[in-house]
Each structure stands twice: as structure tokens, then as C-alpha cells.
Amino acid sequence: MATPTWMSWLEHRHYDKAPIKEAIIDIQIESSPLAMANIETPVPGYTERHKVMKGQLRGQVEGDTLTATASQDQMGYAFVGGEGKNVVQLKMNGFTFSRLAPYQTWEQLRDEAKMLWESYRARLGTLSVVRVGLRYINQLDLPAPVRDLRDFVRLYPEVSADLSQQLAGFFLQVQIPQEDLASMLILNEAMVPPPGPDLVSVILDIDVFKQGIKLESDDEVWGILESLRVRKNLVFESCITNRMRELIS
Amino acid sequence: MPAAQVPPERDPFRLDRFRPAIHRVETPGYDQRTGEIRDDWTRRLEQSQFLTIKYGLIDAEGALDRISHLGADWDSYGAEAPAADAIQASKKILEELAGDLILPSTIAPSAEGGISIYFMTGQRTVYVESYNQGTQALVMYGQDGNADVLEIGREIPLGEVGARILAFLG
């Protein structure tokens, strides 16, 4: 997707009230005979440790007896740092770094992730990266009542004019190949409960990733992330209207 | 006589508009596709701390809402119905713990009158009980079956409950 000329100035635009709730850098590796012990030691500055489980644990209470019913497989560990706003998941099959709101800058996100990635890599030795992804989860808080979503976003479910236009909820996913980057864009958009009574909230979840690769050099990994970041900005700008820009500026 | 040329903008069947937007329309079986979508969504939730907590809180508040409709003697052993104050206190605890990225394993009405929010890993169980009369307790069960009970607000500040739960569950 080439950057439309009229939009190029928006690519590096900064919003004072950026709606980013979470920014994620995800790097998956070729499975290796890795021992859990390699990844259980805390990373400096990330002292609080959680287990990362596959599958949700659900308890059940019957009479006075409480039992956990779902089986879980441990995938790795999550470490929390940055005053509870940074979370790094070190897993058997890869690495995920999350920055929760308030989002700072791309440079801070990237540099922190790089430092953590180097720590992960040092524990594993040689590894091959098979997927690199960048995901930004935005929550757009719109002033209620919203008469037309199109006033704020340019990606929306089009409901037949023969039906009521009142939406109590929606979930929309589009998958758009990014042929020039040999990557994929997955956009999820959904209504979620708002933080206040006078708001309507819409999640705009932008996931750009490259998979089907086999990289051993870190420079290549971070080079891909830089290009995905430019694309992510372009996608965000393509999905919002000027009225939305006013709300977050 | 040659066929009349329809100007592209007046041609209602301009199928070229769609090319190459749709790459593949054939799909696997409906059940398989449904499973793929569910698995993809689960992976996306697990990858995101924000969405895990957001949707986890929605589930937890749904559970609290269901419990709030219980009447007296809900267990047929004469238990009190959970009071509105206990529901509110439980909601506050859930929001506080969500800030520490902790979600409950399950939520249940308490036979002693109130609501219990459970957190479990392996052999260890912790629960926060919000009683109808207004007090709250943090109860930690070890593998030996012994319980350590702390009254929230008096023996442990609300803001430290999350760290204590994490430390206990390991």
C-alpha cells in the first residue's frame, strides 16, 4: 500500500490524547528444545512474575467444594515492570512486549523491547525468528449519542438502510494483505463498554505482521518492525476522520 | 450493428471495482471456520494484557450481576442473599486487582452472606470475601489446608491485596 500523498504529513503525527491502550511488539521463534528454567529468571527492572498459561482456568463451586476444572499448559512467564505499565511475556515459542496506557513514544517502546529481547535471546542462544508483529489497540471514546459512526471512523459495518441503524454492538474483522511489505494487516473493530455514561467506546485493534520468514539477524527483525510501524500509522490515519482527530488532539 | 458501449460510470455491473479485493471465497467447513475464528480470537486476547483485563472484567461483572439476583435461601440451607453493599465492594476489589493485571478464577455467593472472589493456581487458592455486613477478608489456603486470614482495611490495605495474592500464588 503506497502512502497517498495527501496523507504523508500525517504519518508521524503526534496526538496529545492518543487513544492507544496497548502497544505490542511480538516476535515468535522456531520451536526449540528450550527448558522453562531458561526463562523463569526475572529481567532487571521486571520483578513481578506471573505464569503465562494456555487456556483459561475456571473454577467451580459446588456446595462447599471448589475445583479448578480447565486444564492448563504453562507457556512461559510474564514479568511486570515500568510501574505496572510494561509487561514482557517470555514464552517457549517467542517474546511479547506490551506497553499499557499511557503510551509514550515509539522510540521508548522499541528501545525497551530491544533491551528485553536481548535478554531473552541471551538465555536461548541461537534462534530463528519466524514471525514479527506490531499491534496497537486503541479505544476510541466517542461522545454519546453517536448518530453515525462514519462521523468518527472510516471502517464500520454498513447496515442496510432498510434496517434500523441503531447498533447495540458489533464486531468486525478485515484481513488485508500488504503486498509491498509481504505482510498482513488484521483490523478488528468492536464496541466495548465505555468508561462513562456519556460515551460510546469502539476498539480499533491494528495488527500488522510478517510471517513465513526465518531470520537469524536482529537487525532484520528491527528493520521489519520499523516498516510495520510506518504502516501501522498509515492504517490508523486511514481509519479515522477529522472529527476523531479533533477529539484526540 | 455494434453493441452500444455503456460508459463505465453508468454500468451497474462494474465487477472490476472489486478486483483484487477478495482473494479467496471458498472456505473450509462452517464448523472448522468457526473453530479457527474462535482460536484466533483467543490468541489475540491472550496476547493483549489490555483486552484480557477488559473482557475479563466484563465477564466478572456479568457473574456479579447474576449473583446479585439471588434471593434468600439460595443454597436451600438458609443463606442470606448477597447484599448490594457486598456487590459494590466486590466490584471495587475486582477493579483494584485489574489494575495489577489480576483476574479472578471464579466468583461465587458465600454461604456466610456475601460474595467470594477466588484466585487459584495449582494447589493454592486465595479468595477475597466481601461480607454483607460490610467487612472484607483476604483468605489464603496453603497446600497443608491451613488458612491465613487478613481483614482488608485493618490488617492489610486494599492497595496491597494484589501484591499479596501474587506473592502467595507464586
Coordinates of all heavy atoms in Angstrom, one line a residue, chain A residues 101-156:
Chain A
A101 N -1.3 1.9 28.6 CA -1.5 3.3 28.7 C -1.0 3.8 30.0 O -1.1 3.2 31.0 CB -3.0 3.7 28.5
P102 N -0.4 5.0 30.0 CA -0.2 5.9 28.9 C 1.0 5.5 28.0 O 2.1 5.2 28.5 CB 0.1 7.2 29.6 CG 0.7 6.9 30.9 CD 0.1 5.5 31.3
Y103 N 0.7 5.6 26.7 CA 1.7 5.3 25.7 C 2.7 6.5 25.7 O 2.3 7.6 25.8 CB 1.0 5.1 24.4 CG 2.0 4.9 23.2 CD1 2.6 3.6 23.1 CD2 2.2 5.8 22.2 CE1 3.5 3.4 22.0 CE2 3.0 5.6 21.2 CZ 3.7 4.4 21.1 OH 4.5 4.1 20.0
Q104 N 3.9 6.2 25.5 CA 4.9 7.3 25.4 C 5.3 7.6 24.0 O 4.5 8.2 23.3 CB 6.1 6.9 26.3 CG 5.7 6.8 27.8 CD 6.7 6.0 28.6 OE1 7.0 4.9 28.3 NE2 7.1 6.6 29.7
T105 N 6.4 7.0 23.5 CA 6.8 7.2 22.1 C 7.2 5.9 21.5 O 7.5 4.9 22.3 CB 8.0 8.2 22.0 OG1 9.1 7.6 22.6 CG2 7.7 9.5 22.6
W106 N 7.2 5.8 20.2 CA 7.7 4.6 19.5 C 9.1 4.3 19.9 O 9.5 3.2 20.2 CB 7.6 4.8 18.0 CG 8.4 3.9 17.2 CD1 9.5 4.2 16.5 CD2 8.2 2.5 17.1 NE1 10.1 3.0 16.0 CE2 9.3 2.0 16.3 CE3 7.3 1.6 17.6 CZ2 9.4 0.6 16.0 CZ3 7.5 0.2 17.3 CH2 8.5 -0.3 16.5
E107 N 9.9 5.4 20.0 CA 11.4 5.2 20.4 C 11.5 4.5 21.7 O 12.3 3.6 21.9 CB 12.1 6.5 20.3 CG 12.3 7.1 18.9 CD 11.1 7.6 18.3 OE1 10.1 8.0 19.0 OE2 11.0 7.8 17.0
Q108 N 10.7 4.9 22.7 CA 10.8 4.3 24.0 C 10.3 2.9 24.0 O 10.9 2.0 24.6 CB 10.0 5.1 25.0 CG 10.7 6.4 25.5 CD 9.8 7.3 26.3 OE1 8.8 7.9 25.7 NE2 10.1 7.5 27.5
L109 N 9.2 2.7 23.3 CA 8.7 1.3 23.1 C 9.7 0.4 22.5 O 10.0 -0.7 23.0 CB 7.4 1.3 22.3 CG 6.8 0.0 22.0 CD1 5.9 -0.5 23.2 CD2 5.9 0.0 20.8
R110 N 10.3 0.8 21.4 CA 11.2 0.0 20.7 C 12.5 -0.3 21.5 O 12.9 -1.4 21.6 CB 11.6 0.7 19.4 CG 12.6 0.0 18.5 CD 13.2 1.0 17.5 NE 13.9 2.1 18.2 CZ 14.2 3.3 17.7 NH1 13.9 3.5 16.4 NH2 14.8 4.2 18.4
D111 N 13.0 0.8 22.2 CA 14.3 0.6 22.9 C 14.1 -0.3 24.1 O 14.9 -1.1 24.4 CB 14.8 1.9 23.3 CG 15.2 2.8 22.1 OD1 15.3 2.2 21.0 OD2 15.5 4.0 22.3
E112 N 12.9 -0.2 24.8 CA 12.7 -1.1 25.9 C 12.5 -2.6 25.4 O 13.1 -3.5 26.0 CB 11.4 -0.7 26.6 CG 11.1 -1.4 27.9 CD 12.0 -1.0 29.1 OE1 12.8 0.0 28.9 OE2 12.0 -1.7 30.1
A113 N 11.8 -2.7 24.3 CA 11.6 -4.1 23.8 C 12.9 -4.7 23.3 O 13.2 -5.8 23.5 CB 10.6 -4.0 22.6
K114 N 13.7 -3.8 22.8 CA 15.1 -4.3 22.3 C 15.9 -4.8 23.4 O 16.5 -5.9 23.4 CB 15.8 -3.1 21.6 CG 16.3 -3.4 20.2 CD 17.0 -2.2 19.7 CE 16.9 -2.2 18.2 NZ 17.5 -1.0 17.6
M115 N 15.9 -4.1 24.5 CA 16.7 -4.4 25.7 C 16.2 -5.8 26.2 O 16.9 -6.7 26.5 CB 16.5 -3.3 26.8 CG 17.3 -3.5 28.1 SD 16.4 -4.5 29.3 CE 15.1 -3.3 29.8
L116 N 14.8 -6.0 26.3 CA 14.2 -7.2 26.8 C 14.5 -8.4 25.8 O 14.7 -9.5 26.2 CB 12.7 -7.0 27.0 CG 12.4 -6.0 28.1 CD1 10.9 -5.5 28.0 CD2 12.7 -6.6 29.5
W117 N 14.4 -8.1 24.5 CA 14.6 -9.1 23.5 C 16.1 -9.6 23.6 O 16.3 -10.8 23.5 CB 14.4 -8.5 22.1 CG 14.9 -9.4 21.0 CD1 16.0 -9.2 20.2 CD2 14.3 -10.6 20.6 NE1 16.1 -10.2 19.3 CE2 15.1 -11.1 19.5 CE3 13.2 -11.4 21.0 CZ2 14.9 -12.3 18.9 CZ3 13.0 -12.6 20.3 CH2 13.8 -13.0 19.3
E118 N 17.0 -8.7 23.9 CA 18.4 -9.2 24.0 C 18.6 -10.1 25.2 O 19.3 -11.0 25.2 CB 19.3 -7.9 24.1 CG 19.6 -7.4 22.7 CD 20.1 -5.9 22.7 OE1 20.5 -5.4 23.7 OE2 20.1 -5.3 21.6
S119 N 17.9 -9.8 26.3 CA 17.9 -10.6 27.5 C 17.3 -12.0 27.2 O 17.9 -13.0 27.6 CB 17.1 -9.9 28.6 OG 16.9 -10.8 29.6
Y120 N 16.2 -12.0 26.4 CA 15.6 -13.3 26.0 C 16.5 -14.1 25.1 O 16.7 -15.3 25.3 CB 14.3 -12.9 25.3 CG 13.5 -14.1 24.8 CD1 12.8 -15.0 25.7 CD2 13.4 -14.3 23.4 CE1 12.0 -16.0 25.2 CE2 12.6 -15.4 22.9 CZ 11.9 -16.2 23.8 OH 11.2 -17.2 23.3
R121 N 17.1 -13.4 24.2 CA 18.0 -14.1 23.2 C 19.2 -14.7 23.9 O 19.6 -15.8 23.6 CB 18.4 -13.1 22.1 CG 19.2 -13.7 21.0 CD 19.6 -12.6 20.0 NE 18.9 -12.6 18.8 CZ 19.0 -13.5 17.9 NH1 19.7 -14.6 18.0 NH2 18.3 -13.4 16.7
A122 N 19.7 -13.9 24.9 CA 20.9 -14.4 25.6 C 20.6 -15.7 26.4 O 21.5 -16.5 26.5 CB 21.3 -13.3 26.6
R123 N 19.4 -15.9 26.8 CA 19.0 -17.1 27.5 C 18.9 -18.3 26.6 O 19.0 -19.4 27.0 CB 17.7 -16.9 28.2 CG 17.7 -15.8 29.3 CD 16.3 -15.4 29.6 NE 16.3 -14.2 30.4 CZ 15.6 -14.1 31.5 NH1 14.9 -15.1 32.0 NH2 15.7 -13.0 32.2
L124 N 18.6 -18.0 25.3 CA 18.3 -19.1 24.4 C 19.4 -19.4 23.4 O 19.4 -20.5 22.9 CB 17.1 -18.7 23.5 CG 15.7 -19.0 24.1 CD1 15.4 -18.3 25.4 CD2 14.6 -18.7 23.1
G125 N 20.3 -18.5 23.2 CA 21.4 -18.7 22.3 C 20.9 -18.5 20.9 O 20.0 -17.7 20.6
T126 N 21.3 -19.4 20.0 CA 20.9 -19.3 18.6 C 19.4 -19.5 18.4 O 18.9 -20.5 19.0 CB 21.7 -20.3 17.7 OG1 23.0 -20.2 18.0 CG2 21.5 -20.0 16.2
L127 N 18.8 -18.7 17.7 CA 17.3 -18.9 17.4 C 16.9 -18.3 16.1 O 17.6 -17.5 15.5 CB 16.5 -18.4 18.5 CG 16.6 -16.9 18.9 CD1 15.9 -16.0 18.0 CD2 16.1 -16.7 20.3
S128 N 15.8 -18.8 15.5 CA 15.3 -18.3 14.2 C 14.0 -17.6 14.5 O 13.1 -18.2 15.1 CB 15.1 -19.4 13.2 OG 16.4 -20.0 12.9
V129 N 13.8 -16.4 14.0 CA 12.6 -15.7 14.1 C 11.7 -16.1 13.0 O 12.1 -16.0 11.8 CB 12.8 -14.2 14.2 CG1 11.5 -13.4 14.1 CG2 13.6 -13.8 15.5
V130 N 10.4 -16.5 13.3 CA 9.5 -16.9 12.2 C 8.3 -15.9 12.0 O 7.6 -16.1 11.1 CB 9.0 -18.3 12.4 CG1 10.2 -19.3 12.3 CG2 8.3 -18.5 13.8
R131 N 8.2 -15.0 13.0 CA 7.1 -14.1 12.8 C 7.4 -12.8 13.6 O 7.9 -12.9 14.7 CB 5.8 -14.6 13.4 CG 4.5 -13.8 13.2 CD 3.4 -14.4 14.0 NE 2.1 -13.7 13.8 CZ 1.7 -12.6 14.4 NH1 2.5 -12.0 15.3 NH2 0.5 -12.1 14.1
V132 N 7.2 -11.7 13.0 CA 7.4 -10.4 13.6 C 6.1 -9.6 13.5 O 5.6 -9.4 12.4 CB 8.5 -9.6 12.9 CG1 8.7 -8.2 13.6 CG2 9.8 -10.4 13.0
G133 N 5.6 -9.1 14.6 CA 4.3 -8.4 14.6 C 4.3 -7.1 15.4 O 5.0 -7.0 16.4
L134 N 3.5 -6.2 15.0 CA 3.3 -4.9 15.8 C 1.8 -4.7 15.9 O 1.1 -4.8 14.8 CB 4.0 -3.8 15.0 CG 3.9 -2.4 15.7 CD1 4.7 -2.4 17.0 CD2 4.5 -1.3 14.8
R135 N 1.3 -4.5 17.1 CA -0.1 -4.4 17.3 C -0.4 -3.2 18.2 O 0.2 -3.1 19.2 CB -0.6 -5.7 17.9 CG -2.1 -5.8 18.1 CD -2.4 -7.2 18.6 NE -3.8 -7.3 18.9 CZ -4.4 -8.2 19.7 NH1 -3.6 -9.1 20.2 NH2 -5.7 -8.2 20.0
Y136 N -1.3 -2.4 17.8 CA -1.7 -1.2 18.6 C -3.2 -1.3 18.8 O -4.0 -1.4 17.9 CB -1.4 0.1 17.9 CG 0.0 0.6 18.1 CD1 1.1 -0.2 17.7 CD2 0.2 1.8 18.7 CE1 2.4 0.3 17.9 CE2 1.5 2.2 19.0 CZ 2.6 1.5 18.5 OH 3.9 1.9 18.7
I137 N -3.6 -1.3 20.1 CA -5.0 -1.4 20.5 C -5.5 -0.1 20.9 O -5.0 0.5 21.9 CB -5.3 -2.5 21.5 CG1 -4.8 -3.9 21.0 CG2 -6.7 -2.6 21.9 CD1 -4.7 -5.0 22.0
N138 N -6.4 0.5 20.2 CA -6.9 1.9 20.5 C -8.3 1.8 21.0 O -9.1 0.9 20.5 CB -6.9 2.7 19.3 CG -5.6 2.9 18.6 OD1 -4.7 3.7 19.0 ND2 -5.3 2.0 17.6
Q139 N -8.6 2.6 22.0 CA -10.0 2.7 22.4 C -10.5 4.1 22.1 O -10.0 5.0 22.7 CB -10.2 2.3 23.9 CG -11.7 2.4 24.3 CD -11.9 1.9 25.8 OE1 -11.6 0.8 26.1 NE2 -12.4 2.8 26.6
L140 N -11.4 4.2 21.2 CA -12.0 5.5 20.7 C -13.2 5.8 21.6 O -14.2 5.0 21.5 CB -12.3 5.5 19.3 CG -11.2 4.9 18.3 CD1 -11.7 4.9 16.9 CD2 -10.0 5.8 18.4
D141 N -13.1 6.8 22.4 CA -14.3 7.1 23.3 C -15.0 8.3 22.6 O -14.5 9.4 22.6 CB -13.8 7.5 24.7 CG -13.2 6.3 25.4 OD1 -13.6 5.2 25.2 OD2 -12.2 6.5 26.2
L142 N -16.2 8.0 22.1 CA -16.9 8.9 21.3 C -18.1 9.5 22.2 O -18.7 8.8 23.0 CB -17.6 8.2 20.1 CG -16.6 7.3 19.3 CD1 -17.4 6.6 18.2 CD2 -15.4 8.0 18.8
P143 N -18.4 10.8 21.9 CA -19.4 11.4 22.7 C -20.8 10.8 22.3 O -21.2 10.9 21.1 CB -19.3 12.9 22.4 CG -18.6 13.0 21.1 CD -17.7 11.8 21.0
A144 N -21.5 10.4 23.3 CA -22.9 9.8 23.1 C -23.9 10.9 23.0 O -23.8 11.9 23.6 CB -23.2 8.8 24.2
P145 N -25.0 10.7 22.2 CA -25.2 9.6 21.3 C -24.5 9.7 20.0 O -24.3 10.8 19.5 CB -26.7 9.7 21.1 CG -27.0 11.2 21.2 CD -26.1 11.7 22.2
V146 N -24.1 8.6 19.5 CA -23.4 8.6 18.2 C -24.5 8.3 17.1 O -25.0 7.2 17.1 CB -22.3 7.5 18.2 CG1 -21.7 7.4 16.8 CG2 -21.2 7.9 19.1
R147 N -24.7 9.3 16.3 CA -25.8 9.1 15.3 C -25.3 8.3 14.1 O -26.0 7.5 13.6 CB -26.4 10.4 14.9 CG -26.9 11.2 16.0 CD -27.9 12.2 15.6 NE -28.3 13.1 16.7 CZ -29.1 12.7 17.7 NH1 -29.6 11.5 17.7 NH2 -29.4 13.5 18.7
D148 N -24.0 8.6 13.8 CA -23.4 7.9 12.7 C -21.9 7.6 12.9 O -21.2 8.6 13.1 CB -23.6 8.8 11.4 CG -23.4 8.0 10.1 OD1 -22.7 7.0 10.2 OD2 -23.9 8.4 9.1
L149 N -21.6 6.4 13.0 CA -20.2 6.0 13.2 C -19.2 6.7 12.2 O -18.1 6.9 12.5 CB -20.0 4.5 13.2 CG -20.0 3.7 14.4 CD1 -19.8 2.2 14.1 CD2 -18.9 4.2 15.4
R150 N -19.8 6.9 11.0 CA -19.0 7.4 10.0 C -18.4 8.8 10.2 O -17.6 9.3 9.6 CB -19.7 7.4 8.6 CG -19.8 6.0 8.1 CD -20.7 6.0 6.8 NE -22.1 6.3 7.1 CZ -23.1 6.2 6.3 NH1 -22.8 5.8 5.1 NH2 -24.3 6.4 6.6
D151 N -19.0 9.5 11.3 CA -18.5 10.8 11.6 C -17.1 10.7 12.3 O -16.4 11.6 12.3 CB -19.5 11.5 12.7 CG -20.8 11.8 12.0 OD1 -20.8 11.9 10.8 OD2 -21.8 12.0 12.8
F152 N -16.8 9.5 12.8 CA -15.6 9.3 13.6 C -14.6 8.3 12.9 O -13.4 8.5 13.1 CB -15.9 8.8 15.0 CG -16.8 9.8 15.7 CD1 -18.2 9.6 15.8 CD2 -16.3 10.9 16.3 CE1 -19.0 10.5 16.4 CE2 -17.1 11.8 17.0 CZ -18.5 11.6 17.0
V153 N -15.2 7.3 12.3 CA -14.3 6.2 11.8 C -14.6 6.0 10.3 O -15.7 6.2 9.9 CB -14.4 4.9 12.6 CG1 -13.8 5.1 14.0 CG2 -15.8 4.4 12.7
R154 N -13.6 5.5 9.6 CA -13.8 5.2 8.2 C -13.8 3.7 7.9 O -13.7 3.2 6.8 CB -12.7 5.9 7.4 CG -12.9 7.4 7.6 CD -11.7 8.1 7.0 NE -11.5 7.9 5.6 CZ -10.4 8.1 4.9 NH1 -9.3 8.4 5.6 NH2 -10.3 7.9 3.6
L155 N -13.9 2.9 9.0 CA -14.1 1.5 8.9 C -15.3 1.2 9.8 O -15.2 1.4 11.0 CB -12.8 0.7 9.4 CG -12.9 -0.8 9.5 CD1 -12.8 -1.4 8.1 CD2 -11.8 -1.3 10.3
Y156 N -16.3 0.7 9.3 CA -17.5 0.5 10.1 C -18.4 -0.6 9.4 O -18.3 -0.8 8.2 CB -18.3 1.8 10.2 CG -18.5 2.5 8.9 CD1 -19.4 2.2 8.0 CD2 -17.5 3.5 8.6 CE1 -19.5 2.9 6.8 CE2 -17.6 4.2 7.4 CZ -18.6 3.8 6.5 OH -18.7 4.5 5.3

